[in-house]
Amino acid sequence: MSLKPLPSLSFEHPYPPTKLMFSPPSLRRSSGGDLLASSGDFLRLWEVNEDSSSAEPVSVLNNSKTSEFCAPLTSFDWNDVEPKRLGTCSIDTTCTIWDVERSVVETQLIAHDKEVHDIAWGEARVFASVSADGSVRIFDLRDKEHSTIIYESPQPDTPLLRLAWNKQDLRCMATILMDSNKVVILDIRSPTMPVAELERHQGSVNAIAWAPQSCKHICSGGDDAQALIWELPTMAGPNGIDPLSVYSAGSEINQLQWSASLPDWIGIAFANKMQLLRV
Amino acid sequence: MVTGQNRTSVPENLKKQLAISIRSIQWSYAIFWSVSASQPGVLEWGDGYYNGDIKTRKTIQASEIKADQLGLRRSEQLRELFESLSIAESSSTGTAAGSQVSRRASAAALSPEDLADTEWYYLVCMSFVFKIGEGMPGRTFANGEPIWLCNAGTADSKVFSRSLLAKSASVNTVICFPFLGGVVEIGTTEHIAEDMNVIQCVKKSFLEAPDSNATILQPISSDYHIDNVLDPQHILEDEIYAPMFGTRPFQATSPSRTTNGFDPEHDQLAEDHDSFMAEGINSQVQSWQHMDDELSNCVHQSLNSSDCVSQTFAEAGARRGSCSARKGRVQRLGHVQEQQKNVKMLSFDPRNDDVHYQSVISTIFKTSHQLILGPQFRNCDKRSSFTRWKKPSPSSCGTASIVAPSQGMLKKIIFEVPRVHQKEKLMLDSPVAGDETANHAVSEKKRREKLNERFLILRSIIPSINKSDKVSILDDTIEYLQELERRVQELESCRESTDTETRGTITVKRKKPYDAGERTSANCTNNEIGYVKRTHVGEAEPAETGLTDIRIRSFGNEVVIELRCVWREGVLLEIMDVISNLNLDSHSVQSSTGDGLLCLTVSCKHKGSKIATPGMIKEALKRLHGYVEDILA
């Protein structure tokens, strides 16, 4: 297997993007190409056309009504079930839900007391977000007034940096805290009590990804340059949960993605390299 | 024979093990370089297995031959060829030698023209010897460390002496590692990046290979190995001997296999079977299922070759007659099929239990995916990038040693990059406050809401509050708290005096507290909390002790003492005595009595140097009344 970069597919992005994501496979477009979204100063959509010959900007989405600048976006997530729906989160404590087909804002919510760091869709109308105020909240678009806190960091105001919702088993979510080597696993049915805390990293955890094909496996990468694959048991042993397997990279692993279409492959990024690992 | 000598230092069954390991990782060849028995300090060809491309196939029943069979045979043939060539070379003259050579040459199944390039490379390798410390195998042996060579064809000949050969054979990657007292070299035509896992896999498969007693024999053209698989006898080759379900026990197989007057064919079968099983054991589920298919195919096929079936059963030790009616055969086949299933149940060897069990689990879960099967069964064949996690040794840092900067990249993405945008905005946008005030407004609003909520609660608790503005609520709360404090104090002192049961007025006084309480609270609104009692002399007295209340205020030299106590004869005098004993010069006294209570206000001055503190005064007065109590009791 070999990887080649396609120079024709590289494009300029005006600001450093905070996240990139392709549209989910459920989004069928008339033109046939793939949509790529990027967040940064604005939410931008790009189209990669079918023969992979070019990537063209499609639209720039600004959710601020008043100014020409919108609040910077820290992250976003594309809804698998309802693929025209995309949620962004921002440092102005709000989450904005977009309809990307019509390029309009569906709704905007004040989600937290502080900056929102990550957002993840669970279901067509339900999403969760984590914030610098240390809480994981679940929102339902049918009832925008209310949200449920399902976890708060034990030291108050420890920011939560990333969130991952297990698409195979919607009860489970994982989150990571700032400067912590723990991956906290939550069950949405029992708020505030984490199901498990996976504590075998020797440095802070930077990225987490659930396995796309199994509901009990999760992979995490951290500052200790290790990518660990864990299996969540139904009953945790007295000493905590040990990972199944480990991969040691050259330096701190900053990003990690588990391929949904090829579940045997995990991509990691460390230093200035990207590596594909076979599970 | 030349080969005989070499083989003494080679572990038994090495070829099989090499075969298994090299097939499991799908490389082209494996060679075991052993320390030469004949020449000291030298590594020479021990054994090898060739698994690469083959130019010709010179076997008869091509469709029935399995890769492993082919491989083993091919390796044998190559070795044979080498030997014949080397003998031809070494023997220079003599017709006898010449005829020997020609006989040998004809005996070899292969001739040089039949070889593919890689095969030729393998063959030529057989002629190499390496001094320990020289050449790749030599250096590996000397250092005890594996050597991984990529692009073997273009390597320097000092590094790899066979580099030209490798180039012509398109052997790309060669690795040597010390093992089993010698050096194992494996090579492939693909470019494989350095990965210690490969070496681990090879080593592991050596350990997992079955240790069978079969000797390696010369391959013969025809073979019955397919049918042989069905032979239950061979299944029971090893130490573990489990009776088949519903079958008669068979005789021990090893003696029968080797000592029985079998024709070489059958021995060949034995070997084939072993190796077949060996392959089955160490490969993945797919190969198990493959074997299943094969076995079922075999069953069908054997229907056609009736002789074989009956033959094998004849040897099964049950001594069934070889003449078998059709019906009998079918029965036996069914029997065999059952046994074939039982093949899976049996453990061939303790070492193979794990692998066998893995296949069982795989069929249950209908997947061979590593994650689902669990951590016990590592399939190095799958070339996973991950290795089994082990607890780090205590010496290595166990807890989170946060290397500065922790989560550097992630924090940059979340914190810094957005601020970059914001800074830009700040620079360009003059009414900056936009987002920030929005932020503040929101949080301010929440704070206010929280406060209002608390005030409402407070209002509902305090009974006396009428107005609802915050200041009044707080004021009323203060008053109420002080009132409650006083009441508590009085109640406590009440409790003390219940022990001394002298009051006739006790019950009467007991009722008073409530009135007093009400009255005092009613007076609260006057904001004259501290002075209420003084104006309602005789009415507000919940206490039953002698001394109900003392209040002492001092301004500079002046001291004002207010007290209330149970009246009795001479109590006033006693109090005045006490006061004067404390160096206080009283210049004004107000007293009134009612309901048996004396209310007294004394204004006095400190005289002299000794200043009596309010505490002292209180103590003295209390003592006085305590004393009084004793007297009365």
Side-chain angles (χ1 to χ4, degrees), chain A residues 179 204-205 223 246 264 278, chain B residues 369 385 387 406-407 411 446:
Chain A
D179 289 333
S204 310
V205 184
D223 273 349
V246 58
D264 270 354
R278 193 170 193 151
Chain B
H369 198 280
S385 317
T387 55
S406 145
Q407 295 172 329
K411 285 183 188 164
K446 287 193 185 157

Side-chain angles (χ1 to χ4, degrees), chain B residues 341-402:
Chain B
K341 287 197 201 77
N342 296 336
V343 166
K344 281 196 162 178
M345 301 302 178
L346 286 179
S347 42
F348 311 111
D349 189 286
R351 282 171 293 181
N352 296 321
D353 270 354
D354 272 351
V355 187
H356 167 65
Y357 187 55
Q358 181 179 3
S359 66
V360 172
I361 296 183
S362 302
T363 43
I364 291 173
F365 289 106
K366 299 183 187 16
T367 172
S368 63
H369 198 280
Q370 192 55 48
L371 281 183
I372 315 254
L373 292 185
Q376 309 299 331
F377 308 117
R378 294 296 325 174
N379 253 335
C380 50
D381 194 51
K382 268 190 122 176
R383 292 195 225 184
S384 168
S385 317
F386 288 84
T387 55
R388 179 103 181 258
W389 186 85
K390 287 195 181 27
K391 250 189 177 52
S393 52
S395 56
S396 61
C397 46
T399 54
S401 58
I402 297 177

Side-chain angles (χ1 to χ4, degrees), chain B residues 228-485:
Chain B
N228 197 43
V229 171
L230 302 176
D231 190 333
Q233 182 177 5
H234 292 269
I235 293 166
L236 302 176
E237 58 177 340
D238 280 327
E239 304 94 47
I240 294 177
Y241 182 106
M244 311 261 202
F245 306 140
T247 65
R248 283 169 30 202
F250 296 103
Q251 288 175 0
T253 59
S254 20
S256 65
R257 209 168 4 94
T258 51
T259 62
N260 209 344
F262 288 175
D263 47 358
E265 286 175 336
H266 200 74
D267 276 337
Q268 160 73 14
L269 298 176
E271 178 219 292
D272 293 347
H273 177 63
D274 288 338
S275 55
F276 179 78
M277 279 167 47
E279 181 191 14
I281 289 160
N282 205 36
S283 27
Q284 297 176 42
V285 173
Q286 284 84 11
S287 60
W288 267 110
Q289 289 163 349
H290 178 65
M291 186 166 113
D292 270 347
D293 294 341
E294 294 242 359
L295 286 175
S296 50
N297 282 340
C298 294
V299 171
H300 299 310
Q301 278 176 6
S302 60
L303 278 172
N304 304 329
S305 44
S306 51
D307 290 343
C308 307
V309 175
S310 47
Q311 180 187 8
T312 56
F313 272 94
E315 280 124 30
R319 293 289 163 240
R320 296 182 192 128
S322 55
C323 53
S324 49
R326 201 157 194 51
K327 186 179 162 205
R329 198 186 326 136
V330 170
Q331 272 177 354
R332 280 187 208 114
L333 279 176
H335 189 60
V336 165
Q337 268 178 322
E338 185 194 1
Q339 288 157 5
Q340 157 202 331
K341 287 197 201 77
N342 296 336
V343 166
K344 281 196 162 178
M345 301 302 178
L346 286 179
S347 42
F348 311 111
D349 189 286
R351 282 171 293 181
N352 296 321
D353 270 354
D354 272 351
V355 187
H356 167 65
Y357 187 55
Q358 181 179 3
S359 66
V360 172
I361 296 183
S362 302
T363 43
I364 291 173
F365 289 106
K366 299 183 187 16
T367 172
S368 63
H369 198 280
Q370 192 55 48
L371 281 183
I372 315 254
L373 292 185
Q376 309 299 331
F377 308 117
R378 294 296 325 174
N379 253 335
C380 50
D381 194 51
K382 268 190 122 176
R383 292 195 225 184
S384 168
S385 317
F386 288 84
T387 55
R388 179 103 181 258
W389 186 85
K390 287 195 181 27
K391 250 189 177 52
S393 52
S395 56
S396 61
C397 46
T399 54
S401 58
I402 297 177
V403 180
S406 145
Q407 295 172 329
M409 175 74 81
L410 189 58
K411 285 183 188 164
K412 200 168 165 199
I413 293 175
I414 291 179
F415 302 130
E416 286 177 35
V417 168
R419 310 276 176 224
V420 164
H421 301 313
Q422 210 166 34
K423 269 191 214 134
E424 295 276 342
K425 215 171 57 147
L426 282 175
M427 291 192 311
L428 298 169
D429 232 24
S430 37
V432 158
D435 278 59
E436 277 143 348
T437 47
N439 222 356
H440 281 305
V442 163
S443 48
E444 186 56 38
K445 185 166 180 281
K446 287 193 185 157
R447 189 178 143 267
R448 269 183 278 122
E449 279 170 12
K450 283 184 192 167
L451 283 172
N452 286 338
E453 213 185 293
R454 270 51 166 190
F455 274 111
L456 282 174
I457 294 172
L458 203 52
R459 193 173 149 201
S460 61
I461 293 177
I462 313 289
S464 58
I465 291 174
N466 305 320
K467 304 182 196 162
S468 57
D469 72 305
K470 291 180 187 162
V471 179
S472 328
I473 291 177
L474 289 175
D475 283 334
D476 295 342
T477 312
I478 295 170
E479 287 171 18
Y480 188 60
L481 274 175
Q482 286 175 334
E483 179 55 41
L484 286 177
E485 266 179 28

Side-chain angles (χ1 to χ4, degrees), chain B residues 1-3 79-93 96-105:
Chain B
M1 281 189 353
V2 175
T3 53
R79 186 66 189 161
E80 226 177 67
L81 178 60
F82 172 73
E83 279 160 29
S84 66
L85 288 173
S86 58
I87 287 173
E89 214 183 289
S90 57
S91 63
S92 45
T93 56
S99 59
Q100 196 183 29
V101 165
S102 54
R103 225 183 311 140
R104 273 235 154 252

